[in-house]
Amino acid sequence: MLCGGSRISHRIRECNYHHQNLGSGLGFCSSRIVRLSSYMETPVSVQHNQLLQQKLVSFSTIHSKSPAQMPIRSCCSSQLEDDRELPAEGLSSVAGGIVALGKFDALHIGHRELASQASKVGAPYLLSFVGMAEVFGWEPRAPIVAKCDRKRVLSSWSPYCGNVTPEEFQIEFSSVRHLTPQQFVEKLSKELGVCGVVAGENYRFGYKAAGNASELVRLCEEYGMHAYIIKSVMDKNQDSRNIDGKDYKERGQVSSTRVRHALAIGDMKYVSELLGRQHRLVLTVNDFEELTSTSNKCKVSAPKSCLLNLPPMEGCYKNCFLIFGDESPVSCRVCIDTTHIHLETAEVGICNFDNSQDFHILGIEFVELES
């Protein structure tokens, strides 16, 4: 058994919300577990064995570390000498992998660092929870990264992860809400069969966030896994003013909260620094009523209701890029008002949309706000 754990959107008329998950590979692994990418193409047990044989070495000389010691390069083995056998059926897709723990809303550089460290000791996964807003009664809010764009972002992390694309694995929050820290770690070990975990030094887990990084290390050791606790990636370019002071995790580190704040003030340079890439706004449209084209200019307007993720603040942005299908990015100017987003580009050919398609997915990458 692996690591000693038991195996277990002129105006657009209408938006098509049935396609918000396009390209995400969304599907259900079990009644409670959702896989968000299609990285795993071969049977789990076969691929994990191949990856582990190639990348993992023995944990036998490694000891669990405190948060200050941050082990990141040690590896775990398949521990074939363990007399407990791996069940042929019922394996989760993360079995034998290294899971990075967090919320992963923005997929920012701090999240990328977690995935990078996980890749150094095994097959990297991002494990987070879905349905928290519903459970706690929070107001719905737009995601920072569109669901259909997350796989692209994760693919861009491959150079940081040993040329492996991290896979996303989500668990319904309602199924783990009341678990104690020990029960949560037990689930990781016995039900999901993970080999080890990677978390930030401020990570909290378990019912009412009772567990911290030190307890994660202790419990993982108890269940035959290893915990890799890494220092937070700090925001070196901004201070904590105007950031939610009620967030007990706020200590000046890169965070999804900071990304949302930067988008709210239209500071796209700052957003790019936090994300490690330009922010891509995604919209889905299925008809064009007010598309206008002249000999040297193409203009398109879309209602904000077609947006699949969080836009920056209202205003006009220059030097943006429009991504449409497999075409090369096109330079454009973007203006956002209270109800619509307006695109203008000198590339008139971009107005020749294929009306035979039921819907179109457009992406806009932002560079800077006009002064």
Side-chain angles (χ1 to χ4, degrees):
M1 156 174 187
L2 299 175
C3 292
S6 300
R7 273 309 163 272
I8 320 241
S9 175
H10 244 277
R11 183 167 302 170
I12 298 164
R13 179 165 55 230
E14 184 181 11
C15 302
N16 191 329
Y17 292 101
H18 297 293
H19 299 281
Q20 289 193 11
N21 293 325
L22 180 71
S24 65
L26 187 63
F28 295 95
C29 290
S30 72
S31 59
R32 292 182 174 181
I33 299 172
V34 182
R35 286 185 62 190
L36 293 182
S37 72
S38 55
Y39 173 67
M40 302 288 288
E41 298 295 341
T42 59
V44 172
S45 58
V46 174
Q47 184 167 20
H48 279 306
N49 286 339
Q50 293 172 341
L51 287 171
L52 288 168
Q53 288 173 5
Q54 295 169 6
K55 300 190 68 172
L56 307 184
V57 297
S58 177
F59 261 135
S60 60
T61 60
I62 306 303
H63 300 285
S64 295
K65 303 295 183 180
S66 67
Q69 292 176 292
M70 323 288 170
I72 58 176
R73 294 184 179 275
S74 303
C75 304
C76 81
S77 70
S78 59
Q79 293 193 354
L80 297 179
E81 70 275 11
D82 195 323
D83 57 4
R84 288 168 292 182
E85 295 183 354
L86 193 68
E89 302 295 336
L91 276 174
S92 75
S93 64
V94 293
I98 304 296
V99 296
L101 302 172
K103 291 183 179 178
F104 305 113
D105 179 15
L107 294 179
H108 53 60
I109 58 175
H111 296 150
R112 188 182 68 192
E113 181 65 14
L114 288 172
S116 175
Q117 300 304 339
S119 72
K120 293 178 181 179
V121 290
Y125 294 86
L126 305 185
L127 189 150
S128 57
F129 308 110
V130 292
M132 293 184 69
E134 291 82 355
V135 170
F136 290 120
W138 297 339
E139 287 292 325
R141 62 179 184 177
I144 296 173
V145 182
K147 288 183 179 180
C148 60
D149 197 37
R150 293 178 71 87
K151 186 176 180 181
R152 176 193 66 87
V153 174
L154 293 177
S155 295
S156 74
W157 290 2
S158 179
Y160 300 90
C161 299
N163 294 320
V164 172
T165 298
E167 184 173 356
E168 203 159 17
F169 191 84
Q170 297 188 337
I171 299 174
E172 289 291 342
F173 179 67
S174 59
S175 71
V176 298
R177 178 185 182 185
H178 295 292
L179 297 185
T180 65
Q182 180 170 351
Q183 289 171 333
F184 175 66
V185 173
E186 182 176 31
K187 181 183 181 73
L188 294 178
S189 173
K190 293 185 176 181
E191 182 177 334
L192 301 183
V194 304
C195 182
V197 301
V198 177
E201 57 188 337
N202 299 321
Y203 185 72
R204 305 298 296 253
F205 67 104
Y207 186 53
K208 295 185 177 181
N212 59 19
S214 296
E215 188 167 8
L216 182 63
V217 170
R218 179 183 65 79
L219 289 171
C220 284
E221 183 176 36
E222 181 179 325
Y223 282 90
M225 300 183 295
H226 279 254
Y228 299 85
I229 306 302
I230 69 172
K231 289 183 178 179
S232 300
V233 176
M234 304 306 291
D235 179 2
K236 300 178 181 179
N237 302 306
Q238 298 285 332
D239 58 30
S240 297
R241 289 175 298 180
N242 300 318
I243 302 297
D244 186 2
K246 296 180 181 179
D247 186 348
Y248 67 89
K249 293 183 180 180
E250 177 55 53
R251 294 180 175 85
Q253 73 275 20
V254 173
S255 66
S256 296
T257 299
R258 287 176 178 256
V259 176
R260 286 183 178 274
H261 172 69
L263 285 169
I265 63 176
D267 190 341
M268 303 315 294
K269 180 180 178 181
Y270 182 28
V271 171
S272 297
E273 291 171 351
L274 294 171
L275 296 179
R277 64 184 186 278
Q278 291 175 340
H279 177 60
R280 181 175 292 192
L281 183 64
V282 180
L283 53 159
T284 180
V285 297
N286 66 349
D287 198 8
F288 295 91
E289 285 186 344
E290 296 184 8
L291 183 152
T292 61
S293 177
T294 64
S295 59
N296 60 357
K297 198 167 290 186
C298 172
K299 296 181 180 180
V300 179
S301 295
K304 278 186 170 179
S305 57
C306 289
L307 302 180
L308 301 188
N309 61 314
L310 187 64
M313 81 167 190
E314 295 170 13
C316 292
Y317 297 83
K318 58 183 180 180
N319 301 325
C320 299
F321 291 95
L322 176 63
I323 296 94
F324 181 65
D326 295 327
E327 302 295 327
S328 299
V330 172
S331 179
C332 66
R333 180 174 180 264
V334 178
C335 289
I336 302 174
D337 60 30
T338 56
T339 60
H340 286 73
I341 180 168
H342 311 276
L343 316 177
E344 181 180 311
T345 177
E347 296 287 339
V348 243
I350 200 67
C351 286
N352 298 324
F353 294 106
D354 181 3
N355 291 322
S356 65
Q357 295 186 24
D358 291 336
F359 65 94
H360 301 272
I361 296 289
L362 301 181
I364 304 166
E365 291 192 346
F366 292 81
V367 178
E368 58 183 317
L369 181 67
E370 292 183 355
S371 56

